[in-house]
Amino acid sequence: MINEKMYCLGSQRSEIRELFEYAKRRKAEIGEENVYDFSLGNPSVPCPKEVNSAMASLLDSENPVALHGYTSAEGDLNARMAIAEYLTKLHGLTVSASDLYLTAGAAAALAATLTALVTPGEEVIILAPYFPEYRVFIERCGGVVKEVGCEQTSFMPDVAAIADAISEKTAAIIINSPNNPTGAVYSADVIRELSEMLRRKSSEYGHSIYLIADEPYRELVYDGIDVPFIPCYYEDTVVCYSYSKSLSLAGERIGYVLVSPGANESRRVYSAVCGAGRALGYVCAPSLLQKILPYCTGKTSDINVYIENRQLLFTNLKKYGYDVLRPDGAFYLFVKSPVDNAHTFSEMAKRREIIIVPSDSFGIRGYVRISYCVSTEMIKKALDAFAALARDVGLKGDNTNG
Amino acid sequence: MINEKMYCLGSQRSEIRELFEYAKRRKAEIGEENVYDFSLGNPSVPCPKEVNSAMASLLDSENPVALHGYTSAEGDLNARMAIAEYLTKLHGLTVSASDLYLTAGAAAALAATLTALVTPGEEVIILAPYFPEYRVFIERCGGVVKEVGCEQTSFMPDVAAIADAISEKTAAIIINSPNNPTGAVYSADVIRELSEMLRRKSSEYGHSIYLIADEPYRELVYDGIDVPFIPCYYEDTVVCYSYSKSLSLAGERIGYVLVSPGANESRRVYSAVCGAGRALGYVCAPSLLQKILPYCTGKTSDINVYIENRQLLFTNLKKYGYDVLRPDGAFYLFVKSPVDNAHTFSEMAKRREIIIVPSDSFGIRGYVRISYCVSTEMIKKALDAFAALARDVGLKGDNTNG
């Protein structure tokens, strides 16, 4: 007697993981330096120095019983106060410690939020292309996934299509900006349009439709672009944040749920998030990680590396003739597959030792995702292979280049 | 639209937490040193020095990108190999890294294991008195709780009663030895008897009935007593272990699931645990915590403090006339309420500034739990209050004592 759904989830690796494991094997065969692995979204830039120095100083100075002991389930008060103060200052919306629930990263934040908001049989809308685990989290808590495609070319939310997909059973919509896998950052205009539509629909159906804003890439934006803070636009918002990317702490599992203080039932939603965290076995977020937050809030890893990587890849891939969306944020390049089937293209890339992810598992066909959270040196070495791959598929690049 | 079950779980604090919060308020009113708080199971002894020194040395020497980056979902291979080697040596049963899945503590281990093993509608047997969160975890994954009382006085599993409670729908039985709240350690004899019965029932119903062994207190035993390693007795066992108590790291959230290598479908169960961890949002256990395990496996905090506390409390409470079970393990004393209702007794104790937990939330009436993971000094100061409380309820203590 084993839960077959869980067996399937555990025995079938995600396609991203499969490709990552392939890259590992291939590196062992032909040498690490000869494989261009763009499969995973694992930060390649070290954490800011404040992270390790805060850890070292806490280990040195704090009573270990308190340092490593249980915090309250919602998280260390000092950490929550520091985050609340930071968010209030940054966004001009008053956030309190009591609006924040610290979590083991964004995945835990999403799992708790969905469990809190979704009663089995209710619907959650996700925008394709999307992070594949959304589907896993929604279905695990008995929710029904409704996929809505984004605007083609810009990959902004298609508000009219979302409106069409909303029913009386819609509990929530997940948005993710800066976006994985497209790198798109949703503009204030589209967020405003989305908010107005959701207010109309919430009133039509007589219950709040929540916007769940999954924001692990908030700080990773380029050319000074602004990432709208959703609670300033739509009151019934729950933000799921992670320090995985901003502080390069993906393995440490630290992040938070912010229940918008303006939400209609903000106290009830907050309690439900706490209840969900409890029911999912999250006793508290890792305590040492919580306790460094007052020293690290507002810091980021050196994202200049990602800026350089993005420029290098984007410029050259365009030059070779690829159809590439210019990403405003995150560390992904979303490239139109030059052949009919993105899987075929990914296989062709493998022959040039390039590991890239077909878009099918993100809920859309015909693209590949290139993670550029890698060393700049690897990208430089990979460019010739990308050029050769372009020739393999008959792309017509800029003639000034071999 | 909020999930009402989650709202209830989040808005109604557990009774243990309520008492803990009361103690905090009371300390603020009359001074920390005047409140005898025996409510929580938060380790009071610092972690062994190897924990902080391993952390400091990893922070010093490791590449932060690797140190703080994602590990594989099942956990860092070196950590799993170290644990496997340790368990193999200690128990003489060959455990491999691939039998181990690292988790954010025992709660995460239990949540993942139950989600892996239980299909909605199936039953899980728990033995009263039990850790209250078992019920929460089982119900969250759609399982049906079946409570079976332990043998009175010894608090050993009542194997005949468990046999009666098993049906074709029984997926698993949770046992917890050393036990919270009784401190009982299940003997090899009772484990053998339980195993034989479960084999018979598994064969009768044509499917494995799993034994889930929740073991956060494994190392906290007294008088050299042995804690049987369940996989040596019963093949279809899943061990849920935590370093919270053994290494005093309750807030850091690190532990593991061990799927017994002898389980009938051990590979399928392991995959289902991985799938459940994924679906619950546990991407990986906190990476720094994982990476200290090769340096800390087999170490424990100084449990001499608990030995002293236990002796001090047990001897004196007996002397004052309380009916106390002598605990063989964990850091709890289970005391028969000298008045009809344990809640009444807990309220009377409050008047003597003693904070103890009525047994009702553990699924049994008429007892209180006293957590002695506190400072020995506090216990010494509390003894007079316990003596006074004994007189309040008319207990006849040893006359040689005031």
Side-chain angles (χ1 to χ4, degrees):
Chain A
M1 279 173 125
I2 294 171
N3 186 310
E4 284 300 323
K5 281 186 200 158
M6 296 305 141
Y7 172 70
C8 290
L9 278 178
S11 55
Q12 291 157 9
R13 269 212 202 94
S14 76
E15 186 156 32
I16 300 173
R17 279 273 160 191
E18 283 293 355
L19 284 162
F20 171 69
E21 296 295 335
Y22 168 83
K24 252 181 27 187
R25 287 196 305 275
R26 190 65 183 148
K27 283 173 189 172
E29 280 168 27
I30 64 167
E32 184 130 7
E33 67 287 3
N34 299 313
V35 179
Y36 312 119
D37 179 8
F38 296 95
S39 64
L40 276 197
N42 206 356
S44 58
V45 176
C47 53
K49 63 180 189 319
E50 287 85 355
V51 166
N52 280 13
S53 68
M55 282 185 180
S57 125
L58 288 167
L59 288 170
D60 239 30
S61 62
E62 292 292 303
N63 171 359
V65 171
L67 181 63
H68 300 304
Y70 292 119
T71 68
S72 72
E74 57 270 29
D76 179 70
L77 186 59
N78 287 330
R80 288 185 294 131
M81 281 168 61
I83 301 166
E85 193 185 342
Y86 172 74
L87 292 175
T88 300
K89 202 173 285 179
L90 193 65
H91 302 298
L93 180 87
T94 306
V95 172
S96 312
S98 59
D99 302 319
L100 291 160
Y101 172 81
L102 299 190
T103 63
L110 284 165
T113 300
L114 287 163
T115 305
L117 294 180
V118 178
T119 303
E122 290 179 353
E123 294 167 357
V124 179
I125 293 174
I126 58 179
L127 310 184
Y130 52 76
F131 178 53
E133 299 302 276
Y134 291 162
R135 180 173 277 283
V136 175
F137 298 155
I138 295 165
E139 290 177 349
R140 196 261 315 135
C141 60
V144 177
V145 173
K146 284 197 116 179
E147 282 185 31
V148 175
C150 280
E151 301 264 11
Q152 295 291 345
T153 71
S154 74
F155 289 103
M156 290 284 160
D158 181 339
V159 176
I162 298 171
D164 284 346
I166 290 175
S167 80
E168 56 178 5
K169 286 188 177 172
T170 307
I173 298 170
I174 304 178
I175 59 172
N176 170 225
S177 163
N179 188 265
N180 172 12
T182 67
V185 175
Y186 298 170
S187 68
D189 279 349
V190 80
I191 295 296
R192 209 171 283 121
E193 193 192 341
L194 179 63
S195 303
E196 279 160 21
M197 181 276 287
L198 287 178
R199 261 182 226 113
R200 211 166 52 237
K201 289 284 183 183
S202 292
S203 135
E204 181 181 329
Y205 289 116
H207 65 81
S208 298
I209 298 171
Y210 291 93
L211 209 45
I212 300 174
D214 175 28
E215 301 200 339
Y217 302 101
R218 162 161 283 281
E219 291 81 4
L220 302 189
V221 286
Y222 309 107
D223 308 328
I225 204 169
D226 188 52
V227 183
F229 187 60
I230 315 295
C232 291
Y233 293 80
Y234 186 65
E235 44 291 338
D236 285 326
T237 294
V238 180
V239 177
C240 296
Y241 181 81
S242 168
Y243 293 95
S244 289
K245 321 292 179 181
S246 59
L247 295 180
S248 296
L249 292 175
E252 302 293 2
R253 314 312 301 142
I254 186 75
Y256 59 76
V257 171
L258 164 66
V259 177
S260 172
N264 275 319
E265 301 188 282
S266 79
R267 290 298 85 202
R268 275 172 52 80
V269 173
Y270 186 85
S271 288
V273 169
C274 294
R278 184 180 162 192
L280 297 170
Y282 290 100
V283 175
C284 61
S287 50
L288 180 63
L289 272 293
Q290 293 190 43
K291 283 164 187 170
I292 65 164
L293 294 181
Y295 308 96
C296 303
T297 294
K299 305 282 183 298
T300 66
S301 305
D302 177 12
I303 70 161
N304 286 315
V305 177
Y306 301 133
I307 295 177
E308 188 180 352
N309 289 356
R310 161 181 175 262
Q311 197 54 33
L312 200 58
L313 261 182
F314 178 74
T315 315
N316 284 287
L317 263 54
K318 285 290 272 189
K319 200 164 70 180
Y320 304 150
Y322 293 100
D323 183 353
V324 193
L325 181 78
R326 185 182 174 84
D328 285 324
F331 39 47
Y332 305 106
L333 217 59
F334 208 53
V335 180
K336 203 163 173 96
S337 170
V339 300
D340 253 10
N341 186 314
H343 274 104
T344 311
F345 182 53
S346 164
E347 286 301 313
M348 292 176 80
K350 271 186 187 169
R351 275 182 248 138
R352 296 288 179 183
E353 311 302 348
I354 296 171
I355 315 301
I356 49 183
V357 182
S359 61
D360 301 59
S361 48
F362 301 103
I364 187 176
R365 289 191 182 178
Y367 294 83
V368 290
R369 186 191 79 170
I370 303 178
S371 294
Y372 55 84
C373 48
V374 296
S375 76
T376 310
E377 201 193 347
M378 188 189 98
I379 295 181
K380 284 180 182 160
K381 289 190 64 187
L383 289 178
D384 281 348
F386 274 114
L389 178 61
R391 289 191 299 272
D392 293 346
V393 296
L395 288 179
K396 285 194 178 59
D398 178 340
N399 287 331
T400 59
N401 206 56
Chain B
M1 278 171 124
I2 293 170
N3 186 311
E4 284 300 321
K5 279 185 203 162
M6 296 305 141
Y7 171 70
C8 290
L9 277 178
S11 54
Q12 292 158 7
R13 270 212 202 95
S14 76
E15 185 156 33
I16 299 173
R17 280 272 160 193
E18 283 293 356
L19 284 162
F20 171 68
E21 297 295 333
Y22 168 83
K24 253 182 24 189
R25 287 195 305 275
R26 190 64 184 148
K27 283 174 190 173
E29 281 167 28
I30 63 165
E32 184 130 7
E33 67 287 2
N34 299 314
V35 180
Y36 313 119
D37 179 8
F38 296 96
S39 64
L40 278 198
N42 206 355
S44 59
V45 177
C47 53
K49 63 180 190 315
E50 287 84 355
V51 166
N52 279 13
S53 68
M55 282 186 180
S57 126
L58 288 167
L59 288 170
D60 238 31
S61 62
E62 292 293 302
N63 171 0
V65 171
L67 182 62
H68 299 305
Y70 291 119
T71 68
S72 71
E74 58 271 29
D76 179 70
L77 186 58
N78 286 330
R80 288 184 294 131
M81 281 168 61
I83 301 166
E85 193 185 340
Y86 171 74
L87 292 176
T88 301
K89 204 174 285 177
L90 193 65
H91 301 298
L93 179 86
T94 305
V95 172
S96 311
S98 58
D99 302 318
L100 291 159
Y101 172 81
L102 300 190
T103 62
L110 283 165
T113 299
L114 287 163
T115 306
L117 294 179
V118 178
T119 303
E122 289 179 355
E123 294 166 357
V124 179
I125 293 173
I126 58 179
L127 310 185
Y130 51 76
F131 179 52
E133 298 303 276
Y134 292 162
R135 179 172 278 282
V136 175
F137 299 154
I138 294 165
E139 290 176 350
R140 197 261 315 137
C141 61
V144 177
V145 172
K146 285 198 116 180
E147 282 184 30
V148 174
C150 280
E151 302 265 9
Q152 294 291 347
T153 71
S154 74
F155 289 103
M156 290 283 159
D158 179 341
V159 176
I162 298 170
D164 284 347
I166 289 175
S167 79
E168 57 179 5
K169 287 188 175 172
T170 306
I173 297 168
I174 304 179
I175 59 172
N176 170 224
S177 163
N179 187 266
N180 173 11
T182 66
V185 175
Y186 298 171
S187 68
D189 279 349
V190 81
I191 295 297
R192 208 171 285 121
E193 193 192 341
L194 178 64
S195 303
E196 278 160 22
M197 182 275 288
L198 288 178
R199 262 183 226 112
R200 210 166 53 237
K201 288 285 183 182
S202 292
S203 135
E204 180 181 332
Y205 289 115
H207 65 80
S208 298
I209 298 171
Y210 291 93
L211 208 44
I212 300 174
D214 175 27
E215 301 200 340
Y217 303 100
R218 163 161 282 281
E219 290 81 4
L220 303 189
V221 285
Y222 309 107
D223 307 328
I225 204 168
D226 188 51
V227 183
F229 187 59
I230 315 295
C232 291
Y233 293 79
Y234 185 64
E235 44 291 336
D236 285 325
T237 293
V238 180
V239 177
C240 296
Y241 181 81
S242 169
Y243 292 96
S244 289
K245 320 292 179 181
S246 59
L247 295 180
S248 297
L249 292 174
E252 302 293 2
R253 314 312 302 143
I254 186 74
Y256 60 75
V257 172
L258 164 66
V259 177
S260 172
N264 276 318
E265 301 188 281
S266 78
R267 290 299 85 205
R268 275 171 53 80
V269 172
Y270 186 85
S271 289
V273 169
C274 294
R278 184 180 160 191
L280 296 171
Y282 291 99
V283 175
C284 62
S287 50
L288 180 62
L289 272 295
Q290 293 190 43
K291 284 164 187 170
I292 66 164
L293 293 181
Y295 307 96
C296 303
T297 294
K299 306 281 184 298
T300 66
S301 304
D302 176 12
I303 69 162
N304 287 315
V305 177
Y306 302 133
I307 296 176
E308 188 180 352
N309 288 357
R310 162 181 175 263
Q311 197 54 33
L312 200 58
L313 262 181
F314 178 74
T315 314
N316 283 290
L317 263 54
K318 287 288 272 189
K319 202 166 67 180
Y320 304 149
Y322 293 100
D323 183 354
V324 192
L325 182 76
R326 185 182 175 86
D328 284 324
F331 40 46
Y332 305 106
L333 216 58
F334 208 52
V335 180
K336 202 161 175 103
S337 170
V339 300
D340 252 10
N341 186 315
H343 275 103
T344 311
F345 182 53
S346 164
E347 286 301 314
M348 291 176 80
K350 271 185 186 169
R351 275 181 248 141
R352 295 288 179 184
E353 310 303 347
I354 296 171
I355 315 300
I356 49 181
V357 181
S359 61
D360 301 59
S361 48
F362 301 103
I364 188 176
R365 291 191 179 175
Y367 294 82
V368 291
R369 187 191 78 171
I370 303 178
S371 293
Y372 56 84
C373 48
V374 295
S375 76
T376 309
E377 201 193 349
M378 187 188 98
I379 294 181
K380 285 180 183 160
K381 288 189 63 185
L383 288 179
D384 281 348
F386 274 113
L389 178 62
R391 288 192 299 270
D392 293 346
V393 297
L395 287 179
K396 285 195 179 56
D398 180 338
N399 286 332
T400 60
N401 206 54

